[in-house]
């Protein structure tokens, strides 16, 4: 009796023969392909075939939109009015790129580097008694300026002398004694009214300028001052009257020289009292160091040191 259609899958002998024929054909085809590859390769190796197969597949995948790398390209720094530097700090206060290394002649310089013309604008303000964020104290010197926050660089600009030049060719030398907060832009200087008047009529209000760091001839020597409240258990120390920008202030401790942290109001802090009343070592942006011994802790008194940094 003939089998029903449902029983046909159980008749496997003919299928086995057909399967054997197909397998033999496949094996023969693979053998031919391999022999052709070996014949075409000078060295007859097969390992390279496997190693090149993967890149070929990868190339095909890279052609699809989904294979685009997820790493984003490094953003191009936004142009600023100051020379490319560093751009404002790599912190939030500085929107530009990481600061470039200073010239070899001033290895400890920050944003304000010798030999570089900085571009920006000049405005002016009423300086009052001449004191400012640098806490140098009242002064009769009217040739001063406030530095924008970016280039102020946590008070590193304090005491720097810069020559400011207008497009007309007029120039004036000022000392940085204050900070100009936002909206003062990178490169901007807020001059004393008297200094601005050397460059343009006050009615102008704002002008384009370039400015450059100086290392001028000065007659005064450096003084050191302990902040009000200082003692041998806690102190803050400041250097006043330095020719070149100050890069570091260190104190001598039992373990050697210890570098103190600089504050935005231009004092160097020894929070636990380490080195308070001991020898002090000052270093400018050019790497010159001056050591001062024998200064007592006399809060809010500018004590003369008799030393000064060399001119550059």
């Amino acid at each position: 009796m003939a089998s029903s259609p449902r029983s046909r899958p159980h008749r496997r002998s003919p299928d086995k023969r057909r399967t054997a024929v197909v397998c033999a054909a496949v094996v023969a085809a693979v053998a031919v392909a391999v022999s052709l590859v070996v014949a075409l390769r000078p060295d007859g190796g097969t390992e390279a075939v496997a190693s090149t197969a993967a890149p070929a597949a990868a190339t095909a995948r890279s052609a699809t939109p989904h294979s685009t790398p997820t790493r984003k390209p490094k953003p191009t720094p936004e142009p600023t009015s100051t020379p490319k530097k560093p751009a404002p700090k790599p912190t939030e206060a500085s929107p530009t790129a990481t600061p470039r290394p200073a010239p070899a002649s001033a290895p400890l310089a920050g944003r304000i580097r010798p030999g570089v013309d900085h571009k920006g604008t000049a405005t002016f303000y009423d300086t009052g008694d001449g004191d400012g964020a640098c806490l140098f104290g009242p002064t009769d010197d009217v040739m001063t300026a406030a530095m924008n926050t970016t280039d102020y660089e946590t008070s590193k600009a304090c005491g720097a002398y810069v020559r400011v030049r207008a497009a007309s060719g007029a120039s004036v030398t000022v000392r940085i004694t204050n900070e100009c907060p936002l909206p003062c832009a990178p490169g901007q200087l807020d001059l004393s009214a008297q200094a601005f008047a050397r460059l343009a009529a006050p009615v102008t209000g704002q002008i384009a300028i370039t400015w450059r760091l100086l290392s001028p001839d000065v007659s005064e020597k450096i003084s050191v001052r302990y902040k009000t409240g200082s003692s041998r258990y806690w102190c803050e120390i400041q250097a006043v009257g330095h020719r070149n920008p100050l890069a570091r202030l260190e104190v001598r401790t039992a373990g050697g020289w210890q570098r103190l942290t600089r504050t935005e109001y231009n004092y160097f802090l020894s929070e636990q009292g380490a080195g308070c009343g001991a020898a002090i070592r000052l270093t400018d942006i050019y790497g010159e160091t001056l050591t001062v011994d024998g200064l007592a802790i006399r809060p809010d008194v500018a004590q003369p040191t008799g030393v000064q940094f060399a001119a550059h």
Side-chain angles (χ1 to χ4, degrees):
M1 182 178 67
S3 63
S4 67
R6 291 183 181 178
S7 65
R8 287 177 184 172
H10 301 283
R11 297 170 65 186
R12 305 173 64 179
S13 298
D15 291 339
K16 286 184 179 181
R17 286 194 296 272
R18 283 195 296 270
T19 300
V21 172
V22 172
C23 291
V26 172
V27 171
V30 171
V32 171
V34 172
S35 63
L36 288 174
V37 172
V38 173
L40 291 174
R41 295 187 69 256
D43 58 358
T46 58
E47 185 177 356
V49 175
S51 64
T52 57
T59 302
R61 287 194 298 272
S62 67
T64 65
H66 299 291
S67 63
T68 302
T70 56
R71 182 184 301 174
K72 296 181 180 179
K74 185 180 295 184
T76 302
E78 292 290 335
T80 65
S81 56
T82 55
K84 288 180 70 176
K85 184 229 174 255
K89 311 170 181 174
T91 62
E92 295 180 358
S94 175
T96 56
T98 302
R100 296 179 300 180
S105 59
L108 301 180
R111 291 187 57 86
I112 303 176
R113 307 185 307 282
V116 174
D117 285 325
H118 301 255
K119 296 180 180 180
T121 58
T123 50
F124 65 91
Y125 75 110
D126 180 2
T127 58
D129 63 5
D131 199 4
C134 296
L135 294 188
F136 287 136
T139 178
D140 295 329
D141 180 10
V142 295
M143 294 297 117
T144 60
M147 181 64 72
N148 66 84
T149 297
T150 298
D151 296 316
Y152 183 76
E153 205 172 1
T154 315
S155 80
K156 197 167 187 176
C158 286
Y161 289 88
V162 298
R163 177 180 290 121
V164 187
R165 189 177 300 277
S168 65
S171 66
V172 64
T173 297
V174 296
R175 184 169 65 105
I176 305 303
T177 60
N178 206 350
E179 176 183 11
C180 184
L182 295 173
C184 273
Q188 183 172 347
L189 291 175
D190 205 20
L191 306 174
S192 66
Q194 297 88 337
F196 187 91
R198 298 279 187 92
L199 303 176
V203 69
T204 308
Q206 178 175 307
I207 60 173
I209 58 167
T210 59
W211 51 272
R212 173 179 287 229
L213 179 67
L214 298 180
S215 178
D217 291 332
V218 293
S219 57
E220 67 177 319
K221 303 298 183 182
I222 297 174
S223 296
V224 168
R225 177 162 51 208
Y226 279 89
K227 199 173 188 301
T228 301
S230 292
S231 69
R232 63 192 181 92
Y233 303 106
W234 175 96
C235 67
E236 288 188 319
I237 310 171
Q238 176 190 64
V240 182
H242 40 86
R243 183 201 313 268
N244 306 318
L246 190 65
R248 290 197 296 251
L249 188 150
E250 300 164 284
V251 291
R252 181 177 287 150
T253 67
W257 289 104
Q258 179 174 321
R259 181 177 178 177
L260 300 187
T261 301
R262 190 171 203 157
T263 67
E264 62 182 7
Y265 47 88
N266 197 36
Y267 272 86
F268 292 80
L269 171 65
S270 177
E271 193 168 10
Q272 304 301 324
C276 294
I280 297 170
R281 186 163 69 181
L282 308 173
T283 305
D284 70 3
I285 62 171
Y286 298 96
E288 181 182 1
T289 59
L290 303 173
T291 302
V292 181
D293 292 302
L295 293 182
I297 301 176
R298 300 174 60 194
D300 206 27
V301 175
Q303 302 183 62
T305 65
V307 296
Q308 183 59 269
F309 292 119
H312 290 265

